[in-house]
Amino acid sequence: MVAAMNSLFLFRGPLTIRALAFVKASNSIPIRSLPLFHRPPFSFRRTMSSTGATNDEETSARVAAADADTGGPTIYDKIIAKEIPSTIVYEDDKVLAFRDINPQAPVHVLVIPKSRDGLTQLGKAEKRHGEILGELLYAAKIVAEKEGIVDGFRVVINSGPTACQSVYHLHLHVLGGRQMAWPPG
Ligand code: 5GP
């Protein structure tokens, strides 16, 4: 298990290409706690009105993320509760894996713990989380097998504002189906 945790810390590098998609904000989730893609058009207009879109998006993501780790509910709670639809790739009693709404590769699946239990981000992991972290990493391998990419795939965890994390419920990105570049952005 310690080996699994050590492996997790080896993964690095944020996803840098971020598109904005609009999903109607839930009444139960304050707009400030929503990731950028879930904010209403005002944020979109503000972001797109300035120059240097990629830098602005990353800056906006950092600003949004800086006050996002409130421990409050995230969009993933609704996905787990099946209150909003998702395409589930794998599920067991502890883990849910579903397709990313904004895929960055032909295969882009998110693997999350069903119970967040304080894991808003990997940077908040404690020793007691070792078991679920191992489960998540193993689930990523199961997803890769199911998706036919087990011969070559990437697992990414964005942790915190500097890595442009936008949803504060720990998640692994499982990416594949194309040649990956290195270093990541
Ligand atoms: P992060 O930036 O926090 O590492 O990744 C969050 C991911 O969640 C993004 O890749 C984003 O596309 C994905 N995402 C955000 N909202 C939803 C949603 O409602 N459904 C799905 N399937 N993915 C989402």
Side-chain angles (χ1 to χ4, degrees), residues 35-105:
L36 275 183
F37 355 79
H38 295 288
R39 293 188 180 194
F42 172 75
S43 302
F44 176 70
R45 284 199 300 272
R46 188 180 53 187
T47 300
M48 299 307 287
S49 64
S50 47
T51 56
T54 300
N55 285 340
D56 284 352
E57 285 169 18
E58 290 173 2
T59 301
S60 298
R62 277 196 289 274
V63 169
D67 61 13
D69 190 359
T70 60
T74 75
I75 196 73
Y76 294 171
D77 292 301
K78 291 186 176 293
I79 289 174
I80 292 165
K82 308 214 166 56
E83 291 169 11
I84 65 170
S86 68
T87 306
I88 294 172
V89 173
Y90 171 77
E91 179 173 16
D92 62 28
D93 56 331
K94 294 179 186 152
V95 169
L96 183 68
F98 54 96
R99 294 196 193 287
D100 196 294
I101 202 171
N102 182 26
Q104 302 299 318

